[in-house]
Amino acid sequence: MSLFRGSHIGALVLAMSFMACTDSRNSVGPKSQNLSPGEPSMTMGSGSASTLLGRATFSDPHDQNFNVKRKGDDWQVEIKAKPAFDIAVQTITFQPNGQSGWHSHPGPVFIQVVSGTMTFYESDDPTCSPIVRTAGQGYLDLGEHAHIARNETQLPAQNVVTYFAPPGAALKIDQPNPGNCPF
């Protein structure tokens, strides 16, 4: 009898989950239908798969101003944040002609192209000039405006992406097509 009861509960939970996902008020993604006049339509990515490798919060419990500095003979780096920040790392594989959709980030993002070729476009570039990066090259997005990542080749491309973000913030913020590119 408990098996029968459990299957009904499972079916009920599944049905409720489906209804919650179809209710636009509960959607965690961008609105893509039933837009009000003048409301921007977000662009969706396609042909990509991502895996979050890890995310952690860095803070100094003794000081609200997080500051790490390392200085060598001919090299130095410094990271400052107030009061804390998250670092998240993920891999993203783009299939041929795959793309991220227009989006922004709450902080800087370091993108390493580890295989294949990726092309990036910036929303604030009126000429829509491609920024091409191949395996072993990096692309820095400061997170200040929208951009799109595209695999415009016939081979898969893989990126390792490192995000710096406020604690708990969404790593990707879908944005409307800015209209500066022909796609």
Side-chain angles (χ1 to χ4, degrees), residues 49-56 87-93 112 114 158-163 171:
S50 63
T51 302
L52 182 65
L53 300 177
R55 182 174 182 158
I87 294 179
V89 178
Q90 78 179 156
T91 60
I92 306 174
T93 301
Q112 304 168 60
V114 294
Q158 185 175 29
N159 299 329
V160 174
V161 182
T162 304
Y163 303 86
L171 299 175

Side-chain angles (χ1 to χ4, degrees), residues 42-45 90 92 94 99-112 118-125 128-131 133 139-150 159 161-163 171-181 183:
M42 303 302 169
T43 58
M44 300 300 293
Q90 78 179 156
I92 306 174
F94 288 87
Q99 50 89 17
S100 65
W102 287 97
H103 65 280
S104 62
H105 304 283
V109 179
F110 291 80
I111 301 167
Q112 304 168 60
M118 292 297 299
T119 305
F120 302 90
Y121 297 90
E122 300 288 337
S123 66
D124 67 342
D125 176 8
C128 191
S129 301
I131 303 166
R133 297 291 187 262
Y139 172 73
L140 173 61
D141 171 33
L142 293 177
E144 297 173 331
H145 54 267
H147 66 280
I148 190 169
R150 295 168 48 104
N159 299 329
V161 182
T162 304
Y163 303 86
L171 299 175
K172 179 183 176 195
I173 305 159
D174 292 315
Q175 299 289 340
N177 185 329
N180 64 318
C181 293
F183 46 82

